[in-house]
Structure formats: structure tokens, C-alpha cells
Amino acid sequence: MSLEAMVNERHTQGQVGSNTDLDGADIFELSLEECTSRFAKHIQRIMIGTGSNPVQIFWSFIDWSFWMTMWETRHLAENLFTNGDELVPYEKEECRKNAFQARDFLVEKNLGVSFGIMANLWMRGAAGHNADFLHTLTKEKSLQGMLIKELGQFFTPPSLTKLIAKMVTSNNSQEGEWLAEPAAGFGGMMFADWEEWDGLDKPIGSRYYAAAELSPRTARACWLGMVIQQMAGYVDNINSLSMERYAPRWFTPQMLICMKFETEGHEKALTIN
């Protein structure tokens, strides 16, 4: 199956594209707690079926999601700009091969459907509940803290990011401002600000985010989180101290749309639904 067909299936019909979990539960009716619990159960399901550890599974899921979404972003850039290949400098074939490689270990065990369901659970948990979903996942009891221990990273808790966001996002904030996060992690600080700003209820381009993150895979997870939250901005996989760059700049699809508006002189009047 081509990646294009895989993308179409994800959004229309078939197991991967379904909005239900394996037991028939409607994902878009689930609470945040149910989303994280079910996400963790799919990790456990893959652990049992493949013998992989939870961190390997988690990062394989991030890699698969990243390349799937990057394929879609490249497709969007090509439709919007004549120089789309410069804005998203990954060939579609490269995205396809990398996406398949990330999920190959699931195919022979007939577990590939789990990644699609996990993606929907992430979307529901993050955008549907304005939550820092991946941080919540690292605390999931059913995984016994294995993710946070083996990831070797400790992220700012939502209680603190929300407090800081209330202090930063004052009544004096102006539309169109840029916020920079030089050590983004999974993006928790930005997501808290986005929630405080009520970003999902405002026009595209009402606020911009520039994220930098040293770890390549954590940077990918941050970018995916921004895409799910429908945030205009970009992620740089760089060392914020030395400014050494490890990957091209990753614009979110929403940022590409804003850039198109600006080149054509349109006002940013699209409201995110």
C-alpha cells in the first residue's frame, strides 16, 4: 500500500482510520484519563506481541506519526507554494520509507492497527481536552513509570506550566506575537500558553511559536503536538547554546497556511475548528 493510500485510509475508513478502539468504544467520547489509559494498553499489547520494551514502542510510534504527518505537510506545501520543497525539504518517498520502517516490526504480528488508534487517542486527549497529553502519559500508572524512567527526561509538570502561562499571557498580549521556547521538550510550556490564549477558538496566526529542542525524537514529538493543537509555528532540532543544527526547520501546516496568507496579502481570518 502506498503512503498516500495509507493517509486516505487513516482519514476515511478501515481499521487505522476508524475513530473507535478495538472494543468499539468511540474515541471522541473518551475522557483524558481514558485516552491515556487506552494508549498505554496499546503499548502493552505491542509489548506482549513483539517483545519490545515500552520506550522502543513509544519512539517507534513517534517516528511513524512524524513521517506520516510530514508527508502530509510536504503535500500541503507543494499545493500552496512553488518552492514547497524548500519549506518542507523531505521527499515524499523518503517520508514513506521512514514511516514504513518505523512500523515494520508490527506488521508481521498484525499489530499495525494499534499505531493508528494511538494517534487518534493522542488527538482526542490533546486537542479534545486541551491537555499536555504526552506528559500525562508518562505518569500513566499501568506503565509503572517505565516511560519516564527509561526516557531519562523530566518535563515541567502542567501545574507549573499553567501557572507560568497565566503570568506570561497577560491582558497586554497582542495578536500575532511570537513566543520562543529554547528548551521545548514535549512542548508543555507552549501548550499551556496556547490554552491560556484560547488558541483553538481564535483565527490562525493569532499567536506564533518558535520551539527549539536538542533531542531529535523529543523535537519530533513536540512538532507533532503543535500540529495536533493546530498551532502556527516551527520546531528547530538544535542545540540552543551552540546553535548547532541537526535537522531542517519543521514548519507546522498551520504556519504554512499563514505564510500563504501573507504572500497573497490576505488577513488571517480563518478560525480553527
Side-chain angles (χ1 to χ4, degrees):
M1 179 186 292
S2 70
L3 188 60
E4 184 168 9
M6 201 169 153
V7 169
N8 290 335
E9 180 183 358
R10 173 177 166 186
H11 288 298
T12 54
Q13 60 185 4
Q15 287 181 308
V16 174
S18 173
N19 290 329
T20 61
D21 204 342
L22 293 176
D23 61 357
D26 186 343
I27 289 173
F28 292 95
E29 296 295 327
L30 299 177
S31 66
L32 173 60
E33 292 73 20
E34 289 170 323
C35 287
T36 53
S37 175
R38 286 172 177 270
F39 191 105
K41 286 179 180 178
H42 279 281
I43 290 180
Q44 293 172 326
R45 178 173 181 258
I46 296 170
M47 286 172 59
I48 294 171
T50 66
S52 302
N53 70 50
V55 173
Q56 290 174 324
I57 296 165
F58 175 79
W59 286 131
S60 293
F61 167 74
I62 293 297
D63 290 344
W64 175 81
S65 298
F66 176 83
W67 290 112
M68 284 284 289
T69 309
M70 190 58 73
W71 186 96
E72 295 173 322
T73 306
R74 172 61 183 259
H75 186 69
L76 174 65
E78 289 176 349
N79 287 334
L80 293 178
F81 304 97
T82 56
N83 64 332
D85 59 331
E86 297 176 10
L87 297 171
V88 185
Y90 296 109
E91 296 292 339
K92 287 183 178 178
E93 178 63 18
E94 178 184 3
C95 295
R96 184 192 72 83
K97 290 175 65 175
N98 289 336
F100 284 170
Q101 183 177 0
R103 67 151 202 173
D104 275 349
F105 76 111
L106 302 177
V107 175
E108 64 180 24
K109 302 293 184 178
N110 294 319
L111 293 169
V113 64
S114 281
F115 271 12
I117 294 173
M118 289 161 68
N120 282 337
L121 289 167
W122 185 2
M123 286 187 280
R124 172 58 182 166
H129 297 288
N130 288 322
D132 185 353
F133 182 77
L134 293 184
H135 184 278
T136 305
L137 180 67
T138 62
K139 303 297 183 181
E140 171 58 37
K141 292 181 180 179
S142 64
L143 292 176
Q144 299 178 330
M146 286 186 287
L147 276 181
I148 196 65
K149 290 178 182 177
E150 295 191 40
L151 285 174
Q153 300 180 60
F154 298 89
F155 304 102
T156 308
S159 58
L160 185 54
T161 60
K162 290 180 179 181
L163 175 62
I164 295 173
K166 287 183 181 294
M167 298 168 63
V168 172
T169 312
S170 66
N171 293 330
N172 295 323
S173 293
Q174 301 293 317
E175 290 204 358
E177 286 183 337
W178 278 89
L179 273 77
E181 169 56 281
F186 283 152
M189 287 293 301
M190 296 185 299
F191 302 150
D193 178 84
W194 184 240
E195 180 183 1
E196 184 68 21
W197 179 250
D198 291 326
L200 287 172
D201 295 322
K202 293 184 177 177
I204 293 177
S206 64
R207 206 162 182 79
Y208 298 102
Y209 295 87
E213 170 55 38
L214 177 64
S215 167
R217 280 175 154 173
T218 304
R220 291 178 182 181
C222 178
W223 181 78
L224 286 166
M226 290 174 66
V227 174
I228 289 172
Q229 292 280 8
Q230 303 186 55
M231 298 162 66
Y234 61 80
V235 174
D236 282 329
N237 178 204
I238 62 174
N239 182 323
S240 293
L241 297 179
S242 68
M243 299 305 293
E244 181 179 1
R245 179 175 292 277
Y246 307 109
R249 175 166 291 172
W250 305 325
F251 293 105
T252 66
Q254 294 77 18
M255 189 66 215
L256 294 178
I257 293 171
C258 289
M259 292 162 69
K260 181 64 174 179
F261 286 166
E262 291 177 1
T263 59
E264 295 187 351
H266 296 314
E267 293 186 3
K268 308 176 188 70
L270 281 182
T271 300
I272 302 171
N273 295 317

